[in-house]
Structure formats: C-alpha cells, structure tokens
C-alpha cells in the first residue's frame, strides 16, 4: 500500500514525492524500497504488487526496478485501505485462487529484519488456514496514537486469537493496556487469503463488494483500465480496520517485536535517526552551538547553523522551510491544511 | 563610518554585503542610506564622507547616489575607529581648517528624526567651540552591552560636561546608573573640529599621529592612494573611545532621546520591526501555528512555516540558514568565528 501523502512530513513529503519515497532516517534507502527489500527473501519481486496513486506511479516503479511494471497499480483516487486491499485481492485471486496476501504499508520502519521475516512466515502460515491475521506490535510505551488489539488464547505457535480491536485510547487506558500484557498495537500489517478478505468484504461492506465485482469482471479485458477509472472513485472510502477488522470474527494476531515504527512524525524520524553526542540528527553541513536533540534537513551544500536550540525540527527544501517544536511535530499536517485551503497546491 | 562587518547578523550580513547595506527592520531603506538621509537636511551630500572597506566601496557608492564618489574612501584594512576618524579628519581639515565633523556609525537606527536633527545642531554648535562632543543616549533600561558616560554640570543649553566614560558595567552597576539619572549610553556618535581631534590624537596616540602625518603629506598628490595603502594597515588598531574619549579632558555630552538603537543583534532587529498580533516579524509568505515573538527572514517566494515556536530567529539566505533562540542572538558571531576557523570564507 503506497497511496499515502505523508502530510506530517511536509515540506519533505509532497504529493508528487510523498513519505514512502523519502529516506527520512538517513538509512540510505527510501521507505518503499526498504519495505520491498525486507519482503523479497520470502516473496519474490514478481509476486509483489503495489497499489499507489497515479501521481507517483512512475516514481514508485523507478524505486522498485525488480517489481514488474504491471504489478504497480495506480488508484484513480484514494479511497482508504479497504478498496485498495479489495482491488489487490481481486488481482491476486486471479493469479492463484488459494493465494495468501501479506498486506504491508510502504512507509513503516522495521529495525530487526530477521525477526520480521520469521514473523512473516508465522503470519503467512496462520493465514493459509483461512483466518484474517494481523501483526500486533508488543507495546514499549503507553502510546495514544495507535489502535490496540486485545489478544486471547494461543491459536497456534506464535499466534493468538484477537479478542477485540480498540480505537486510540486515552493515556490512562493505554497505561492499563501496557500493564495487562495482553494488548498489542495494531500495526496495519495483515495476512489473509485473497478469497478470505473478499468474503469478509462481501459480508460487511456489500456496497464495496458490488463495486469490486464490476471491476473484477473487467480485469484482463481491454476495458480494465477504463472500468477501474470509472468505478474505483465511487467506492466507499473506508479503512480495513474500521470496515472489517474491528467487526470480523476469528481474527488471529501474531504478537511481534521487531523494532517497528510507523514513523508518524518528524519526532519519530528523529528518534530513528543516527544522532551525535548532543542528540542532534543534522544536515551534512552544520554548526550547532549549545543545541540539543534537534532534527535538521537541508538541501545539499546549504549550511545550517543552530544557536541555543533544543528539541526543534528544521526542514528546508529550497522552496519551503519548516521550523517546528519537536513535540508538536504531529501538527505539521495543519500547515498542509492551511496551504490547501489557501490554494497553494504548488506546495503540497 | 561604514567599515563594519556585522557578524551578529550572519547569514544576512556578509563581508561583501554587511549590516549597513541591509534593511533589517523592514523599513524599506538600507541602514547606511537611512543614516545619510537623516543627515542631509543639515549637511549637504557633498559634505558627507564615508570611510568604508575596499570590498563594499562600490556597493556603498550605489546606495548613496547623491554623495560624490570621491567622498567614499576605502580603508585598505580595518584598524578600528581612531585611524578611521583620523583619516577623515585629515581630509576634512584640508577642505576647511575650521570644519566641524559629525561622526556617525552607518548602522545605527534613529526613530525620531526631527529630534535627532535638533540634537545635531546642538552637537555641532558645541563642537564649534573646540570641545570634543558626544551624543549620550538617555538610558531606558539597565543595559550591560553599552559603555556609559557620567554627565556633570550644564556647559551650554542642552550640553553637559562629561565627567567620565565607563566601560560596559555589571547589571547591578547599570541599575545604579539608571537610577542616578546622570548616566547616559555612549552612542558612538561624536562632534568635533577636525583640528581638535587631530590635536587629541597627537597628544594621546602619537604613533597613530605619526602615521597620519605621513598620509597627510601625500593627500592630493599622485602618491595619495599608494601611501594610504602602504601606511594605513600599519596604524595602531584602537578605538576612538578607548584611545581618546576615555582619557581626554573637556569632553561635552549632549543627552539625547531620539529612539536610538545600535541594532546590536537580531533580537534588536525583531524589537524594531513591525510585528503582528502574535509578536512575530515574519517573512512575506508564512504560516505560523501557535508561534509567538519570532523573527523570520527568507528569500522572496519561499514559504516559511512555524509550528509551536516562541522567541526564535530564523534567517534563510538560500546558501545558509540560521535558527537561533532570540535571547542568544548575540552568539551568532560565534557561528561566524566557527566558519572562519574552518576555512569557509565563502560563507563570511
């Protein structure tokens, strides 16, 4: 899934060059390239499908030279995750009716790749039995920015039943969840047979299923592109979590601990970046005087000087400059809203 | 006097484009143009002489189209204010042996121009009698960044004797000075006959006087430029305050209150700039969310977004970016030192 726009990473992230096409932590790899790279030991590139937007389809394709161009599918309009996953399921079911899908956001970070790959095999095996399966991240702190999953009994080695999905909790509730030991973060990474998720969509999102069925009949025909272009934008915009996962029965959860981050803000990018002794993750050319725990990005060759600054995010892209208190990094999306409502689409 | 480099205004101020050539407060006029403009109702442009550096001589000349090119004199090397004033005095004495000089830094601000001009006439009249005269700024706060002058009895209407010059005081001492009512800030603006200051230099800075005498013999001859180039860099580097004013007798002081600022830092520039309701002096294109009392400069057309920032200075010049806590604005000069010692003369 590579359709996001990453508005909390403005001005680095733009609609034509969003978060998944950036290397926000200085890893040397864009997030989408890293996402595919950690899958390919288990899933050959020919079996990797990317659903993205028309605007960045070519850029995604260039980032993933080993993934066949035909596997990179542009949504005519963003309709949230349920239509995206439904479309992918149609395509994958045609290739193999028993196929298991691993659904991965293209803009998450994983630190411990071997552990991730071991968890993948557990997830895929669990999904092969017909259940919807999710990765649940063992919480390291009482985060209030994530949904949680309460896990139940062991369903198979390394797999638990999911008792319930809960929306982003209050801090108090999150602390209770953390203490209980039974709650994990909803990672947004899923495993299921293509047929299994289509069955769930048929039951719980019949309007979506109806639209997908029209598209399904056109797949492989000369009308495929025209039908997708006509029908997809009319599909209900709903997330797979809200539309299916929070309601479906028999969901299984693989509790995992592989150093995951959804990299939700510049604060998280700072957290995951290499830092110097002063806690600064800085642009290449810099002078920092009495400054600590800052995150700085600037165009190559530009010198950035900090004086007496703590916990500040600075992102200079040549045409735009963001300076943000690090603990307010979530609010960068409000800058994007303000630009949108003032008609500055050139900066989005 | 226009030889300064304004290192506390980096990266806006550069050796090739220093503070006096900037409009730091958004007034619409460079500081040097404003300095000459407030003098010209009293002193015609033909009688304005500018001592500056070779590097910015042409730029200064362009800024002051009404001042004859021959009046804009480049020092071969910066030697502080005493040699600068001595050289000007030689030139002015040749034009008229009884001439009174008004010595003005080119990078100070004056808010109340009519009041400044009234004070000028008082200063010029006081200097015509042969005394060294200085503008003393009535203090509005216990500043520790300025030297002070203790004033004594009235010497003429609007003129007092200067009892003593004191160096930058401690806060406690500055508070005592403020309460006493007899102390004023040393503005660095002086009035004296060219012959009077040359006499003082002869008495108190004989080495400087000797060098100036060699230059004096060459003025108006074909060797003038060569002699200045050879001799000026060998003159002792000393300030007029330390070398003369703090030691000379019979100094008079004109206490003034015309909204003066030496604009010593970006904090002062913020203080003197137009600000919005949130106290921000911002770049033209901006989005400010929960941000207050910031000073932002950026190239035309660049958008600057602030999120959750208070009391920060942001100066973007395209090739360099400064972000500085406003109350640390004095320390911007340390950035310049760091650049100099790392050989980045291209950024100075």
């Amino acid at each position: 899934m590579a359709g996001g726009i990453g508005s909390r990473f403005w001005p680095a992230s733009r609609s034509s060059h969003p978060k998944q096409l950036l290397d926000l932590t200085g890893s040397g790899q864009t997030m989408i390239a890293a996402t595919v790279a950690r899958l390919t030991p288990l899933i050959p590139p020919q079996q990797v499908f990317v659903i993205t937007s028309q605007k960045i389809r070519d850029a995604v394709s260039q980032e993933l030279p080993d993934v066949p161009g035909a596997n990179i599918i542009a949504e005519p309009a963003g309709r949230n995750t349920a239509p995206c996953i439904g479309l992918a399921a149609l395509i994958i079911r045609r290739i193999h009716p028993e196929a298991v899908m691993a659904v991965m956001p293209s803009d998450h970070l994983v630190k411990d790749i071997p552990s991730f790959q071991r968890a993948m095999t557990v997830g895929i095996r669990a999904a092969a039995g017909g259940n919807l399966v999710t990765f649940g991240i063992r919480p390291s702190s009482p985060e209030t920015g994530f949904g949680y999953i309460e896990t139940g009994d062991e369903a198979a080695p390394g797999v638990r039943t999911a008792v319930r999905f809960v929306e982003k909790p209050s801090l108090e509730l999150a602390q209770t969840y953390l203490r209980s030991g039974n709650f994990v973060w909803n990672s947004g990474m899923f495993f299921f047979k293509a047929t299994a998720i289509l069955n769930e969509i048929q039951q719980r999102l019949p309007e979506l299923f109806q639209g997908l069925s029209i598209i399904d009949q056109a797949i492989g025909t000369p009308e495929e592109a025209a039908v997708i272009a006509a029908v997809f934008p009319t599909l209900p915009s709903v997330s797979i979590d809200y539309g299916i996962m929070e309601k479906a029965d028999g969901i299984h959860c693989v509790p995992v601990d592989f150093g995951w981050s959804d990299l939700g803000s510049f604060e998280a990018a700072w957290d995951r970046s290499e830092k110097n002794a002063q806690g600064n993750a800085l642009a290449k050319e810099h002078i920092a005087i009495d400054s600590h725990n800052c995150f700085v990005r600037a165009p190559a060759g530009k010198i950035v000087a900090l004086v007496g600054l703590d916990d500040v995010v600075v992102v200079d892209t040549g045409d735009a400059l963001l300076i943000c208190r690090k603990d307010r990094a979530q609010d960068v999306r409000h800058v994007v809203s303000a630009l949108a409502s003032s008609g500055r689409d050139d900066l989005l």
Side-chain angles (χ1 to χ4, degrees), chain A:
Chain A
M1 295 190 291
I5 58 160
S7 63
R8 280 174 297 190
F9 288 96
W10 185 92
S13 179
R14 304 290 178 97
S15 61
S16 60
H17 197 75
K19 180 185 168 199
Q20 55 271 32
L21 292 172
L22 301 175
D23 168 18
L24 287 159
T25 59
S27 71
Q29 231 179 358
T30 64
M31 303 197 77
I32 194 167
T35 300
V36 170
R38 67 178 168 259
L39 294 173
T40 41
L42 296 158
I43 302 172
Q46 297 74 26
Q47 285 171 230
V48 171
F49 291 81
V50 183
I51 314 278
T52 185
S53 67
Q54 196 62 54
K55 207 165 187 176
I56 65 165
R57 198 202 158 282
D58 292 348
V60 166
S61 194
Q62 279 172 23
E63 268 305 302
L64 306 174
D66 298 334
V67 174
N71 291 12
I72 299 173
I73 295 140
E75 295 171 332
R79 304 304 289 160
N80 212 327
T81 50
C84 166
I85 290 169
L87 176 61
L90 296 180
I91 293 163
I92 289 165
R93 186 176 58 178
R94 294 208 160 225
I95 296 168
H96 198 296
E98 293 299 310
V100 169
M101 302 168 65
V103 175
M104 298 283 145
S106 60
D107 59 354
H108 288 183
L109 283 185
V110 166
K111 206 181 274 177
D112 182 351
I113 309 281
S115 169
F116 169 83
Q117 291 166 341
R118 286 192 298 274
M120 282 279 296
T121 62
V122 175
I124 291 166
R125 195 182 309 134
N131 292 86
L132 308 191
V133 180
T134 178
F135 273 171
I137 314 292
R138 289 187 205 282
S140 52
S141 58
E143 284 289 326
T144 57
F146 300 137
Y148 283 68
I149 303 165
E150 186 180 359
T151 60
D153 298 333
E154 187 169 73
V159 184
R160 296 195 162 264
T161 60
V163 176
R164 59 180 173 126
F165 280 63
V166 287
E167 300 269 328
K168 296 174 186 180
S170 66
L171 181 60
E172 261 191 323
L173 211 50
Q175 287 166 334
T176 316
Y177 293 168
L178 187 63
R179 276 195 299 272
S180 88
N182 292 329
F183 284 80
V184 290
W185 294 335
N186 180 4
S187 68
M189 300 183 183
F190 306 108
F191 303 87
F192 31 66
K193 290 171 74 169
T195 52
I197 193 69
L198 287 168
N199 283 343
E200 288 292 340
I201 290 173
Q202 186 169 19
Q203 276 182 57
R204 303 190 188 276
L205 299 169
E207 199 192 333
L208 172 58
F209 187 78
Q210 200 176 9
L212 288 173
S213 299
I214 297 168
I215 291 172
D216 191 32
Q217 288 160 29
I219 288 180
T221 74
E223 286 75 38
E224 175 179 331
V227 172
I228 291 178
V231 176
F232 197 90
T234 71
L235 300 179
S237 182
V238 57
S239 76
I240 198 79
D241 297 280
Y242 180 79
I244 306 287
M245 291 293 164
E246 293 179 14
K247 290 151 188 163
D249 303 315
I251 294 186
H252 285 177
C253 180
V254 180
V256 296
D257 190 4
F258 44 61
W260 170 88
S261 169
D262 74 340
L263 212 70
S265 71
F266 282 122
E267 187 171 32
W270 168 82
D271 190 49
R272 286 295 184 116
S273 295
E274 286 267 335
K275 293 178 280 288
N276 67 13
Q278 285 73 48
N280 295 315
L282 295 177
K284 205 167 181 188
E285 298 208 63
H286 64 264
I287 290 175
I289 296 173
D290 295 342
S291 297
H292 308 87
N293 303 319
C294 291
F295 178 91
V296 177
R297 288 301 178 93
K302 184 159 189 172
I303 193 153
V304 181
L306 309 181
V307 180
L309 274 200
D310 288 347
D311 301 299
V312 170
V313 168
V314 177
V315 181
D316 183 345
T317 56
D319 59 344
L321 173 60
L322 169 77
I323 305 114
C324 177
R325 224 173 68 192
K326 203 168 72 213
D327 62 1
R328 295 290 303 273
Q330 293 284 347
D331 294 326
V332 170
R333 63 184 190 276
H334 298 315
V335 174
V336 174
S337 310
L339 287 169
S341 61
S342 62
R344 292 304 303 270
D345 293 359
D346 56 314
L347 290 167
L348 299 180

